[in-house]
Amino acid sequence: MNSIGHLGGTVVCPGSFDPVTLGHLDVFVRSAEKFDHVVVAVLENSTKTSLFTVAERIQLLTNATRDFTNIEVTSFAGLLVDFCKSRNISAIVKGLRAVSDFDYELQMAQLNHQLANVETFFMSSNPTYSFLSSSMAKEVAKYGGSVKGLVPENVEDALIAKFKANKN
Ligand code: PNS
């Protein structure tokens, strides 16, 4: 697709990505069309219990984004603004699925701006995926439903394997 008005620079797409969904991937790819470099950063020190380890999530993200040379996958610990400073990243890109995402995302954006002048750009999610979350995909996979069309193919396999392993 033609990218009208390339913005340039490096941005970060931070998150838990437990696991990455097609909704996340859509935001990464569209960001990669607009910006020079996109850093997908997995939070390491989350208080949330996760299904996949950080290393597994990085592996799944790396595989799902392998066709895009300007998308990099990494992890970070501590404050996102400190990671931004350490990498000289001046902006965050977040996908917004619905109004329900907005309150929390706005709060984080305002906090990050207040803390370190880091800007947040909100990208409206593709409506195809507006209902989709990592939790929903995990729930479907857990009870044996198909996650085709919800997560990248490598993640489908990983979810099936993970729930099979967890049963044993
Ligand atoms: O996928 P998530 O769990 O909604 O992602 C949340 C994330 C990782 C973007 C957010 O929790 C975060 O930036 N955490 C790092 C700690 C931090 O900087 N906190 C202050 C801003 S919320």
PDB file of all heavy atoms in Angstrom, residues 154-168:
ATOM      1  N   ASN A 154       2.155 -18.817  13.596  1.00  0.00           N
ATOM      2  CA  ASN A 154       3.113 -19.399  14.552  1.00  0.00           C
ATOM      3  C   ASN A 154       2.565 -19.350  15.975  1.00  0.00           C
ATOM      4  O   ASN A 154       2.873 -20.221  16.786  1.00  0.00           O
ATOM      5  CB  ASN A 154       4.482 -18.693  14.456  1.00  0.00           C
ATOM      6  CG  ASN A 154       4.435 -17.227  14.854  1.00  0.00           C
ATOM      7  OD1 ASN A 154       3.583 -16.469  14.401  1.00  0.00           O
ATOM      8  ND2 ASN A 154       5.348 -16.813  15.697  1.00  0.00           N
ATOM      9  N   VAL A 155       1.725 -18.351  16.245  1.00  0.00           N
ATOM     10  CA  VAL A 155       1.139 -18.234  17.584  1.00  0.00           C
ATOM     11  C   VAL A 155       0.016 -19.269  17.778  1.00  0.00           C
ATOM     12  O   VAL A 155      -0.154 -19.812  18.872  1.00  0.00           O
ATOM     13  CB  VAL A 155       0.647 -16.789  17.847  1.00  0.00           C
ATOM     14  CG1 VAL A 155      -0.023 -16.673  19.210  1.00  0.00           C
ATOM     15  CG2 VAL A 155       1.801 -15.805  17.739  1.00  0.00           C
ATOM     16  N   GLU A 156      -0.716 -19.536  16.691  1.00  0.00           N
ATOM     17  CA  GLU A 156      -1.737 -20.615  16.757  1.00  0.00           C
ATOM     18  C   GLU A 156      -1.084 -21.885  17.264  1.00  0.00           C
ATOM     19  O   GLU A 156      -1.556 -22.520  18.208  1.00  0.00           O
ATOM     20  CB  GLU A 156      -2.258 -20.945  15.348  1.00  0.00           C
ATOM     21  CG  GLU A 156      -3.341 -20.061  14.814  1.00  0.00           C
ATOM     22  CD  GLU A 156      -3.724 -20.500  13.398  1.00  0.00           C
ATOM     23  OE1 GLU A 156      -3.955 -21.702  13.167  1.00  0.00           O
ATOM     24  OE2 GLU A 156      -3.786 -19.619  12.520  1.00  0.00           O
ATOM     25  N   ASP A 157       0.015 -22.271  16.610  1.00  0.00           N
ATOM     26  CA  ASP A 157       0.717 -23.507  16.972  1.00  0.00           C
ATOM     27  C   ASP A 157       1.211 -23.451  18.417  1.00  0.00           C
ATOM     28  O   ASP A 157       1.105 -24.424  19.156  1.00  0.00           O
ATOM     29  CB  ASP A 157       1.924 -23.728  16.042  1.00  0.00           C
ATOM     30  CG  ASP A 157       1.477 -23.881  14.590  1.00  0.00           C
ATOM     31  OD1 ASP A 157       0.289 -24.201  14.369  1.00  0.00           O
ATOM     32  OD2 ASP A 157       2.314 -23.672  13.683  1.00  0.00           O
ATOM     33  N   ALA A 158       1.741 -22.295  18.804  1.00  0.00           N
ATOM     34  CA  ALA A 158       2.294 -22.158  20.160  1.00  0.00           C
ATOM     35  C   ALA A 158       1.194 -22.263  21.216  1.00  0.00           C
ATOM     36  O   ALA A 158       1.399 -22.859  22.272  1.00  0.00           O
ATOM     37  CB  ALA A 158       3.019 -20.822  20.292  1.00  0.00           C
ATOM     38  N   LEU A 159       0.023 -21.694  20.915  1.00  0.00           N
ATOM     39  CA  LEU A 159      -1.093 -21.760  21.876  1.00  0.00           C
ATOM     40  C   LEU A 159      -1.566 -23.199  22.040  1.00  0.00           C
ATOM     41  O   LEU A 159      -1.785 -23.674  23.155  1.00  0.00           O
ATOM     42  CB  LEU A 159      -2.261 -20.882  21.392  1.00  0.00           C
ATOM     43  CG  LEU A 159      -2.172 -19.384  21.729  1.00  0.00           C
ATOM     44  CD1 LEU A 159      -3.242 -18.604  20.981  1.00  0.00           C
ATOM     45  CD2 LEU A 159      -2.309 -19.142  23.233  1.00  0.00           C
ATOM     46  N   ILE A 160      -1.683 -23.893  20.909  1.00  0.00           N
ATOM     47  CA  ILE A 160      -2.127 -25.297  20.957  1.00  0.00           C
ATOM     48  C   ILE A 160      -1.124 -26.108  21.786  1.00  0.00           C
ATOM     49  O   ILE A 160      -1.495 -26.853  22.688  1.00  0.00           O
ATOM     50  CB  ILE A 160      -2.296 -25.868  19.524  1.00  0.00           C
ATOM     51  CG1 ILE A 160      -3.489 -25.176  18.850  1.00  0.00           C
ATOM     52  CG2 ILE A 160      -2.493 -27.388  19.546  1.00  0.00           C
ATOM     53  CD1 ILE A 160      -3.576 -25.385  17.346  1.00  0.00           C
ATOM     54  N   ALA A 161       0.168 -25.914  21.482  1.00  0.00           N
ATOM     55  CA  ALA A 161       1.216 -26.669  22.191  1.00  0.00           C
ATOM     56  C   ALA A 161       1.220 -26.333  23.681  1.00  0.00           C
ATOM     57  O   ALA A 161       1.364 -27.211  24.530  1.00  0.00           O
ATOM     58  CB  ALA A 161       2.573 -26.349  21.574  1.00  0.00           C
ATOM     59  N   LYS A 162       1.046 -25.059  23.995  1.00  0.00           N
ATOM     60  CA  LYS A 162       1.103 -24.635  25.403  1.00  0.00           C
ATOM     61  C   LYS A 162      -0.031 -25.258  26.202  1.00  0.00           C
ATOM     62  O   LYS A 162       0.191 -25.772  27.294  1.00  0.00           O
ATOM     63  CB  LYS A 162       1.032 -23.101  25.455  1.00  0.00           C
ATOM     64  CG  LYS A 162       1.176 -22.487  26.798  1.00  0.00           C
ATOM     65  CD  LYS A 162       2.527 -22.709  27.444  1.00  0.00           C
ATOM     66  CE  LYS A 162       3.505 -21.600  27.206  1.00  0.00           C
ATOM     67  NZ  LYS A 162       4.758 -21.771  27.960  1.00  0.00           N
ATOM     68  N   PHE A 163      -1.237 -25.239  25.651  1.00  0.00           N
ATOM     69  CA  PHE A 163      -2.359 -25.796  26.412  1.00  0.00           C
ATOM     70  C   PHE A 163      -2.289 -27.320  26.483  1.00  0.00           C
ATOM     71  O   PHE A 163      -2.711 -27.911  27.468  1.00  0.00           O
ATOM     72  CB  PHE A 163      -3.697 -25.283  25.866  1.00  0.00           C
ATOM     73  CG  PHE A 163      -3.964 -23.869  26.310  1.00  0.00           C
ATOM     74  CD1 PHE A 163      -4.004 -22.814  25.402  1.00  0.00           C
ATOM     75  CD2 PHE A 163      -4.110 -23.579  27.665  1.00  0.00           C
ATOM     76  CE1 PHE A 163      -4.211 -21.506  25.830  1.00  0.00           C
ATOM     77  CE2 PHE A 163      -4.319 -22.272  28.103  1.00  0.00           C
ATOM     78  CZ  PHE A 163      -4.372 -21.231  27.184  1.00  0.00           C
ATOM     79  N   LYS A 164      -1.722 -27.925  25.445  1.00  0.00           N
ATOM     80  CA  LYS A 164      -1.522 -29.385  25.483  1.00  0.00           C
ATOM     81  C   LYS A 164      -0.500 -29.704  26.592  1.00  0.00           C
ATOM     82  O   LYS A 164      -0.729 -30.576  27.412  1.00  0.00           O
ATOM     83  CB  LYS A 164      -0.986 -29.859  24.108  1.00  0.00           C
ATOM     84  CG  LYS A 164      -1.339 -31.311  23.824  1.00  0.00           C
ATOM     85  CD  LYS A 164      -0.701 -31.769  22.540  1.00  0.00           C
ATOM     86  CE  LYS A 164      -1.661 -31.774  21.371  1.00  0.00           C
ATOM     87  NZ  LYS A 164      -0.984 -32.150  20.108  1.00  0.00           N
ATOM     88  N   ALA A 165       0.587 -28.931  26.645  1.00  0.00           N
ATOM     89  CA  ALA A 165       1.635 -29.151  27.648  1.00  0.00           C
ATOM     90  C   ALA A 165       1.093 -28.911  29.060  1.00  0.00           C
ATOM     91  O   ALA A 165       1.418 -29.644  29.991  1.00  0.00           O
ATOM     92  CB  ALA A 165       2.820 -28.243  27.375  1.00  0.00           C
ATOM     93  N   ASN A 166       0.247 -27.874  29.191  1.00  0.00           N
ATOM     94  CA  ASN A 166      -0.284 -27.543  30.521  1.00  0.00           C
ATOM     95  C   ASN A 166      -1.241 -28.611  31.042  1.00  0.00           C
ATOM     96  O   ASN A 166      -1.442 -28.735  32.240  1.00  0.00           O
ATOM     97  CB  ASN A 166      -1.024 -26.187  30.479  1.00  0.00           C
ATOM     98  CG  ASN A 166      -0.044 -25.033  30.460  1.00  0.00           C
ATOM     99  OD1 ASN A 166       1.165 -25.244  30.472  1.00  0.00           O
ATOM    100  ND2 ASN A 166      -0.552 -23.817  30.416  1.00  0.00           N
ATOM    101  N   LYS A 167      -1.864 -29.375  30.099  1.00  0.00           N
ATOM    102  CA  LYS A 167      -2.798 -30.435  30.505  1.00  0.00           C
ATOM    103  C   LYS A 167      -2.047 -31.620  31.099  1.00  0.00           C
ATOM    104  O   LYS A 167      -2.554 -32.304  31.966  1.00  0.00           O
ATOM    105  CB  LYS A 167      -3.585 -30.897  29.272  1.00  0.00           C
ATOM    106  CG  LYS A 167      -5.048 -30.495  29.318  1.00  0.00           C
ATOM    107  CD  LYS A 167      -5.795 -31.109  28.166  1.00  0.00           C
ATOM    108  CE  LYS A 167      -6.683 -30.098  27.470  1.00  0.00           C
ATOM    109  NZ  LYS A 167      -7.146 -30.563  26.182  1.00  0.00           N
ATOM    110  N   ASN A 168      -0.803 -31.834  30.566  1.00  0.00           N
ATOM    111  CA  ASN A 168      -0.058 -33.036  31.001  1.00  0.00           C
ATOM    112  C   ASN A 168       0.573 -32.836  32.381  1.00  0.00           C
ATOM    113  O   ASN A 168       0.819 -31.757  32.815  1.00  0.00           O
ATOM    114  CB  ASN A 168       1.047 -33.371  29.971  1.00  0.00           C
ATOM    115  CG  ASN A 168       0.437 -33.682  28.619  1.00  0.00           C
ATOM    116  OD1 ASN A 168      -0.680 -34.190  28.547  1.00  0.00           O
ATOM    117  ND2 ASN A 168       1.141 -33.352  27.545  1.00  0.00           N
TER     118      ASN A 168
END
